[in-house]
Amino acid sequence: MRAVIVAIGVAFLISLFCTPIAIKVFARLKAGQPIRSNLGLASNEGKKGTPTMGGVVFILATVIAYVAGHLALTTLPDAQIAQVEPTITALVLLGLMVFSGAVGFIDDFLKVRKRHSGGLNKRGKLAGQILVGAVFGAVAVYFPSSMTDVSGNATNTETVGSTTLSFIRDVPALEIGKIGAVIVIIMVVMAATNGVNLTDGLDGLATGASVMVLAAYALIAFWQYRHWCADPNYTESYCYTVRDPLEIALIAGAAAGACVGFLWWNTSPARIFMGDTGALGLGGLIAGMAMSTRTILLLPILGGLFVIITMSVVIQIISFRTTGKRVFRMSPLQHHFELAGWSEVNIVVRFWIIAGIGVAIALGLFYSEFLAAVS
């Protein structure tokens, strides 16, 4: 637990104190977010020129905090089951965050350079998401752990990703094979990155919702670590078959802490935007969390707000193309309520409540399954 707390604290402090520096640097480079002024959105007023690409700060803060957390791990008395050395789990999770963020960075850079809200085209962004998902999905599925105990006996031969679909745990009846697993991971990466990206648009909305989801994954992963099948001191039959849950908890906690520090500057009125750099980076990490904790089918509940907002866009597109009519005044959904007269802060707080409800339901399902297994 100490390593997780260290990672959270380091990530929070780096993000809190380095974001103002990033604001000044991006402002000097004239890396301001292009704003379309013809949409009639009140939230767009006064935002032109606000620095973007702020996701760079909390992505770097998460990586640095991971290193700091590992330094704390070296003093743990149960270091033989904590795997002090960096693992493929960390490579996959941080890789998904960094390289998904890199795709977003290219998009942001093109927007800033062209001084236009259209950056990387849809095909380019989609190709980047597929490539990132495929590379790290393959690593997650094809490289098992070689973790051993103090006697040299194998204690964990799990891969980061599973060849079985999962809800609270793996569902044995839903075996999909390695190739199928990689395809599912690609789909989850695409869904999560686009979900967070669509949610971003109002000051602090995506950041606050991501904090809740990442904090929930930190709790889930740490609970799995305390009831881990690879732990020689834990002999109960209702343990969790996952790989490196403490690593997962450490990274999830670090990312949540970094986002809280960033939210200090990103909340209304925002002094910096996360941009696609941050939105895609967070989406990639959240997808990795679902995969590594074996809770893929729980993600739509845990990230309920992202699903609702994504579905509003899908419904709007289908309705307009089939009937020529719009269901919402504008999509994504948050802009519909803006045009209905809700204030930006009102929308953000109420949507945070929806995000919190989804997280609470998901955690309730997770814990109730454990109680059922115990009983």
Side-chain angles (χ1 to χ4, degrees), residues 78-134:
D78 54 351
Q80 70 273 16
I81 67 164
Q83 265 200 308
V84 175
E85 296 297 325
T87 63
I88 288 184
T89 301
L91 171 67
V92 170
L93 294 179
L94 294 176
L96 283 169
M97 187 181 198
V98 171
F99 285 94
S100 294
V103 175
F105 182 85
I106 295 172
D107 187 38
D108 287 333
F109 177 79
L110 292 176
K111 289 177 183 177
V112 170
R113 185 177 181 181
K114 296 176 181 178
R115 295 289 188 265
H116 190 272
S117 58
L120 188 63
N121 61 49
K122 293 180 180 179
R123 290 184 179 179
K125 190 180 293 186
L126 184 64
Q129 293 168 340
I130 292 174
L131 179 61
V132 172

Side-chain angles (χ1 to χ4, degrees), residues 2 26 49 81 105 119 122 130 144 152 167 171 187 251 259 281 305 350 357-358:
R2 179 171 55 190
F26 289 139
I81 67 164
F105 182 85
K122 293 180 180 179
I130 292 174
F167 182 53
V171 182
M187 293 172 63
I251 294 171
C259 286
L305 178 64
R350 288 174 178 174
I357 291 172

Side-chain angles (χ1 to χ4, degrees), residues 132-158:
V132 172
V135 170
F136 290 100
V139 174
V141 171
Y142 285 92
F143 290 86
S145 173
S146 58
M147 183 176 171
T148 59
D149 58 22
V150 291
S151 302
N153 300 315
T155 60
N156 187 16
T157 57
E158 292 294 321

Side-chain angles (χ1 to χ4, degrees), residues 3-339:
V4 177
I5 293 174
V6 168
I8 293 172
V10 170
F12 169 75
L13 292 174
I14 291 175
S15 191
L16 180 66
F17 292 109
C18 289
T19 300
I21 300 173
I23 293 172
K24 293 179 181 178
V25 171
F26 289 139
R28 189 173 300 168
L29 295 174
K30 297 182 179 180
Q33 176 70 40
I35 300 292
R36 293 175 63 184
S37 59
N38 61 341
L39 298 178
L41 298 175
S43 64
N44 283 355
E45 296 179 8
K47 292 187 177 182
K48 186 176 181 180
T50 301
T52 187
M53 296 188 283
V56 170
V57 179
F58 59 73
I59 290 175
L60 289 176
T62 301
V63 174
I64 295 171
Y66 168 75
V67 176
H70 257 269
L71 293 177
L73 271 179
T74 59
T75 61
L76 285 176
D78 54 351
Q80 70 273 16
I81 67 164
Q83 265 200 308
V84 175
E85 296 297 325
T87 63
I88 288 184
T89 301
L91 171 67
V92 170
L93 294 179
L94 294 176
L96 283 169
M97 187 181 198
V98 171
F99 285 94
S100 294
V103 175
F105 182 85
I106 295 172
D107 187 38
D108 287 333
F109 177 79
L110 292 176
K111 289 177 183 177
V112 170
R113 185 177 181 181
K114 296 176 181 178
R115 295 289 188 265
H116 190 272
S117 58
L120 188 63
N121 61 49
K122 293 180 180 179
R123 290 184 179 179
K125 190 180 293 186
L126 184 64
Q129 293 168 340
I130 292 174
L131 179 61
V132 172
V135 170
F136 290 100
V139 174
V141 171
Y142 285 92
F143 290 86
S145 173
S146 58
M147 183 176 171
T148 59
D149 58 22
V150 291
S151 302
N153 300 315
T155 60
N156 187 16
T157 57
E158 292 294 321
T159 53
V160 181
S162 175
T163 57
T164 301
L165 288 180
S166 56
F167 182 53
I168 305 298
R169 304 170 188 263
D170 284 338
V171 182
L174 300 179
E175 177 71 33
I176 55 177
K178 292 184 176 181
I179 295 177
V182 174
I183 294 173
V184 167
I185 292 169
I186 293 172
M187 293 172 63
V188 174
V189 169
M190 291 172 60
T193 51
N194 286 304
V196 178
N197 197 24
L198 290 171
T199 303
D200 189 29
L202 298 183
D203 295 349
L205 177 57
T207 310
S210 297
V211 168
M212 298 181 205
V213 174
L214 290 167
Y217 273 123
L219 292 173
I220 288 172
F222 191 75
W223 185 263
Q224 291 176 332
Y225 172 65
R226 300 303 298 176
H227 306 84
W228 190 23
C229 295
D231 185 349
N233 300 316
Y234 193 83
T235 59
E236 302 296 340
S237 60
Y238 43 83
C239 60
Y240 292 94
T241 306
V242 294
R243 175 173 177 171
D244 310 317
L246 188 58
E247 287 276 87
I248 303 169
L250 194 155
I251 294 171
C259 286
V260 171
F262 181 77
L263 185 60
W264 182 275
W265 306 100
N266 181 235
T267 193
S268 184
R271 293 185 57 188
I272 188 170
F273 300 139
M274 69 165 68
D276 281 18
T277 304
L280 298 190
L282 288 175
L285 179 60
I286 289 171
M289 290 290 159
M291 169 190 64
S292 58
T293 56
R294 311 293 172 89
T295 56
I296 283 180
L297 297 180
L298 187 66
L299 178 58
I301 302 173
L302 194 61
L305 178 64
F306 302 138
V307 174
I308 292 170
I309 289 177
T310 301
M311 289 308 300
S312 73
V313 176
V314 173
I315 291 170
Q316 186 86 322
I317 292 173
I318 293 175
S319 176
F320 187 75
R321 289 184 177 178
T322 56
T323 68
K325 297 180 180 180
R326 292 180 171 87
V327 177
F328 307 102
R329 299 182 184 188
M330 183 181 290
S331 63
L333 188 60
Q334 60 268 33
H335 298 314
H336 166 82
F337 289 106
E338 271 196 279
L339 293 179

